[in-house]
Amino acid sequence: KTKAKICAMVKANGYGHDAKTVAQILCNKVDYFGVNNINEAIEIREVTNKPILVVGVSEEKFDDAVKYDVDLTVYNAESLQTMISTNLPIRVHIAVNTGMNRLGFRPEEVKSVVDKISQTKLMLVGIFTHFATADSDKGYFDYQIKQFRKALNNIDTSGLIIHASNTSALK
């Protein structure tokens, strides 16, 4: 048994297994749900009151994120500025690029992002990274952990959800 919280990824229609059904089955077993976009989040919201995080790119429907109490990912300067410009109380998680090289701020940028968010209506809920090679390259996995810690060392993490994993990292 662990104290770690579990976020069940149910994006892409529950990876082809019907997202709503999967969410209903997992509802009492997980703490969070992860989806790719706001439309998926709204679908999952129909069957659960658990927190939902959109891990993909959110370029619109910010009012729906607030209406359906869905957390969004801030992944670069443009996404941050767009969300700030809505003047909405959007719950956000900062994506940190520690080596996956898809989305996310560099570790050395995180402090300024946190500072900027603190001056807006945005509500910082969490910060995360995603591991590229947890199952195949322990050295690179260790590098990514060090990079993530580097980002976290420069900010006050009290009250934040810190999440960094993937399926392979759980082994």
Side-chain angles (χ1 to χ4, degrees), residues 115-135:
D115 291 345
K116 191 165 191 173
I117 288 171
S118 72
Q119 300 169 15
T120 72
K121 281 191 172 183
L122 300 180
M123 296 174 287
L124 182 58
V125 175
I127 182 168
F128 72 95
T129 193
H130 188 75
F131 298 125
T133 62
D135 58 343

Side-chain angles (χ1 to χ4, degrees), residues 21-144:
T21 300
V22 172
Q24 287 172 319
I25 291 168
L26 294 177
C27 197
N28 293 323
K29 296 173 176 50
V30 301
D31 304 285
Y32 242 90
F33 286 99
V35 297
N36 192 53
N37 58 54
I38 193 70
N39 291 331
E40 290 179 348
I42 292 169
E43 181 180 2
I44 298 305
R45 180 57 71 221
E46 293 175 12
V47 298
T48 184
N49 288 324
K50 295 276 178 147
I52 301 170
L53 171 62
V54 173
V55 296
V57 174
S58 299
E59 295 181 357
E60 53 187 52
K61 299 188 177 184
F62 298 110
D63 53 336
D64 281 343
V66 174
K67 178 180 176 182
Y68 292 99
D69 194 26
V70 172
D71 301 358
L72 300 181
T73 297
V74 174
Y75 52 88
N76 64 22
E78 293 79 19
S79 70
L80 176 59
Q81 195 52 51
T82 299
M83 288 184 205
I84 289 170
S85 70
T86 68
N87 206 30
L88 292 169
I90 302 168
R91 294 169 45 95
V92 297
H93 294 238
I94 298 171
V96 181
N97 180 7
T98 60
M100 188 81 173
N101 295 321
R102 286 188 193 156
L103 300 173
F105 292 93
R106 294 185 321 271
E108 59 272 13
E109 296 175 307
V110 170
K111 170 100 171 75
S112 65
V113 173
V114 170
D115 291 345
K116 191 165 191 173
I117 288 171
S118 72
Q119 300 169 15
T120 72
K121 281 191 172 183
L122 300 180
M123 296 174 287
L124 182 58
V125 175
I127 182 168
F128 72 95
T129 193
H130 188 75
F131 298 125
T133 62
D135 58 343
S136 61
D137 185 341
K138 175 135 175 38
Y140 198 68
F141 174 67
D142 291 342
Y143 167 79
Q144 284 192 267

